Amino acid sequence: VQLQASGGGLVQAGGSLRLSCTATEGTVSQYTVGWFRQAPGKERELVAAIRGKAINTFHTDSVKGRFTISRDNAKNTVHLQMNSLKPEDTAVYYCAARWNWNVVPSTWTPADFSYWGQGTQVTVSS
């Protein structure tokens, strides 16, 4: 699968953005898709994930209630709706895919994902 991320930008604190991860090759619903982010000087962390062919989702604690991951099968796209954005959400966001959902998502690291899209910058101003 080949992934293309889009939707980043500059937004004020409290604002919203929607990121999109579109599969240009392959079918996104066959994979578990995750959104990671990496801020300067920090490790890449898993923000949210959605299971392939199912409705299981995962959101890391720091974004629960603010971010929502979803999948649009007709558009072969996974979205990350980000509301109530905070300056600490500033990072490069990446989407990635893996075959299975067989381990507790909170333990997943970037090495657990085989396919990556390019990053999209999200900047939240205070």
Side-chain angles (χ1 to χ4, degrees):
V1 64
Q2 291 194 355
L3 304 173
Q4 184 169 359
S6 62
L10 173 64
V11 64
Q12 289 187 334
S16 298
L17 284 172
R18 188 177 77 160
L19 305 184
S20 297
C21 177
T22 301
T24 56
E25 287 188 13
T27 303
V28 71
S29 63
Q30 293 181 337
Y31 298 84
T32 287
V33 175
W35 281 99
F36 286 78
R37 67 185 179 187
Q38 188 166 20
K42 294 188 177 180
E43 293 185 352
R44 194 170 297 189
E45 65 168 341
L46 179 64
V47 175
I50 187 165
R51 185 174 185 175
K53 297 182 179 179
I55 59 173
N56 303 65
T57 61
F58 163 81
H59 298 81
T60 196
D61 286 346
S62 62
V63 307
K64 281 181 180 177
R66 300 189 299 122
F67 292 10
T68 303
I69 192 170
S70 63
R71 187 174 58 236
D72 184 339
N73 291 335
K75 296 184 177 180
N76 210 17
T77 297
V78 171
H79 295 293
L80 183 68
Q81 178 66 43
M82 306 187 296
N83 299 328
S84 302
L85 282 161
K86 303 176 181 180
E88 51 263 44
D89 295 318
T90 295
V92 178
Y93 284 70
Y94 300 88
C95 63
R98 55 176 284 163
W99 280 109
N100 298 318
W101 183 289
N102 57 358
V103 185
V104 177
S106 59
T107 66
W108 288 341
T109 68
D112 294 314
F113 286 73
S114 301
Y115 310 97
W116 288 84
Q118 86 289 3
T120 185
Q121 176 71 46
V122 172
T123 303
V124 184
S125 62
S126 57

